Amino acid sequence: MLLIKEVYQLSFRETILLSKDYFKNVPSLRDFHYRASKLMRVIQILIKFIHDYMQRGCVQTIIVDGTGIGFRKKTNLNWMRGTQVRKVKDHIRCEVVLTKGRYKLVQYVEVGRRYASEIKMLRKILDKMELIGRRFLADRLYDVLWLRDYLEGRGIKSVIRVRRDGVGREEVVWEEYKERNEIEGMFGNMKGKLSGYVAAYREDMAMVLALVKFLAYNMYVAYFLSLFLARLWPVYLLLSISHTDF
């Protein structure tokens, strides 16, 4: 039901009304809201499960970046060096680990409050899982000693932009670093299809619904590829037979 809610960009009440046309047992609005609020860890596990199942350990590139997802709660924003206060929609931060190997999939997502430190969120991710791949791509924000030591200890090549005050370190090779744009493209496509906004008033619920968007992305990739391969396997079989010497 949460996937229906985010795909069709519905409210909780609208999701329940639509679900009654397809499901026999539909929870009440109160139960639906309560159950959804407890699913954060479950959704994170599902995102990683789909990633690990599809990639099967064949990861070439790890790309890390953060993005924001808005929700309905209003917050004050100090503007013009604090001389003006503006009411804006609040948002939560998502720290995303995207990998490229067999496919391009989200490996893990950590969520936090607005303006949460992305490097600290990444450290939380690394406390829960281990990175495996050939190279790690990130911008200057991630140019910190502990992360470089972590990557070196696991034999992962660091392709991280050097901070402007960095001394004694060489800048990255652009041909390798330009691949980082793919995570920005993924954010743009996801927000274009599923919106960069969730219909929630509470911060904890906004975090759950933001995770659902990334779960929907992984499920879409897995479904599309399985459908594509199911239709084309006879073609691959014929091609392999035609190139076989009898």
Side-chain angles (χ1 to χ4, degrees):
M1 290 176 64
L2 288 176
L3 286 169
I4 292 174
K5 181 183 186 307
E6 287 309 304
V7 169
Y8 292 102
Q9 300 176 29
L10 305 174
S11 66
F12 279 93
R13 193 178 301 277
E14 291 169 338
T15 304
I16 290 175
L17 293 175
L18 179 62
S19 298
K20 288 180 178 178
D21 296 334
Y22 299 96
F23 305 114
K24 184 177 180 180
N25 297 318
V26 177
S28 66
L29 178 62
R30 181 177 179 180
D31 286 346
F32 180 35
H33 201 277
Y34 173 76
R35 293 174 188 178
S37 66
K38 303 299 180 182
L39 291 177
M40 184 182 299
R41 181 59 181 157
V42 174
I43 297 171
Q44 288 175 322
I45 292 172
L46 285 173
I47 290 171
K48 189 172 187 302
F49 172 79
I50 295 173
H51 169 275
D52 293 347
Y53 180 80
M54 298 296 292
Q55 296 287 38
R56 301 182 187 275
C58 299
V59 174
Q60 301 294 323
T61 305
I62 306 163
I63 312 173
V64 173
D65 202 4
T67 189
I69 302 290
F71 64 104
R72 287 180 174 174
K73 181 184 175 184
K74 298 286 186 177
T75 187
N76 292 331
L77 175 66
N78 292 327
W79 191 49
M80 298 293 289
R81 296 186 177 180
T83 58
Q84 298 183 30
V85 179
R86 299 175 63 184
K87 282 278 186 180
V88 297
K89 289 180 180 177
D90 210 343
H91 73 279
I92 53 103
R93 296 297 297 173
C94 302
E95 183 69 8
V96 182
V97 178
L98 180 75
T99 68
K100 289 185 62 183
R102 292 163 61 92
Y103 313 105
K104 184 167 69 174
L105 288 162
V106 175
Q107 183 176 14
Y108 202 88
V109 182
E110 185 70 28
V111 288
R113 303 191 66 187
R114 62 183 183 274
Y115 309 120
S117 169
E118 294 178 14
I119 193 68
K120 290 181 179 179
M121 292 170 71
L122 177 60
R123 194 157 205 168
K124 288 182 180 180
I125 293 175
L126 299 183
D127 289 339
K128 300 174 184 177
M129 52 163 274
E130 182 177 351
L131 295 180
I132 298 175
R134 292 190 177 182
R135 53 186 174 271
F136 178 96
L137 278 63
D139 59 21
R140 289 188 175 94
L141 177 66
Y142 300 88
D143 183 18
V144 291
L145 181 60
W146 71 262
L147 179 56
R148 289 184 178 274
D149 290 342
Y150 174 92
L151 297 173
E152 184 179 356
R154 284 157 182 78
I156 302 173
K157 183 179 180 180
S158 173
V159 187
I160 303 175
R161 292 288 301 274
V162 178
R163 291 178 183 267
R164 292 184 175 87
D165 58 350
V167 178
R169 296 195 301 273
E170 294 183 0
E171 188 56 277
V172 299
V173 178
W174 175 249
E175 288 300 317
E176 294 179 323
Y177 182 76
K178 67 180 183 181
E179 202 173 1
R180 197 194 76 87
N181 292 333
E182 297 203 21
I183 196 170
E184 299 290 352
M186 188 272 287
F187 290 155
N189 290 332
M190 187 189 72
K191 291 180 180 181
K193 298 291 191 302
L194 301 177
S195 176
Y197 171 84
V198 293
Y201 287 99
R202 282 171 36 188
E203 187 175 65
D204 60 338
M205 185 57 66
M207 292 180 180
V208 172
L209 296 177
L211 288 172
V212 172
K213 292 183 183 294
F214 292 98
L215 175 61
Y217 170 82
N218 270 12
M219 291 179 68
Y220 172 79
V221 173
Y223 172 76
F224 175 79
L225 288 170
S226 62
L227 187 65
F228 178 78
L229 294 175
R231 290 183 176 181
L232 287 188
W233 74 264
V235 178
Y236 289 126
L237 180 61
L238 290 173
L239 289 174
S240 62
I241 292 175
S242 65
H243 288 83
T244 302
D245 295 329
F246 291 97

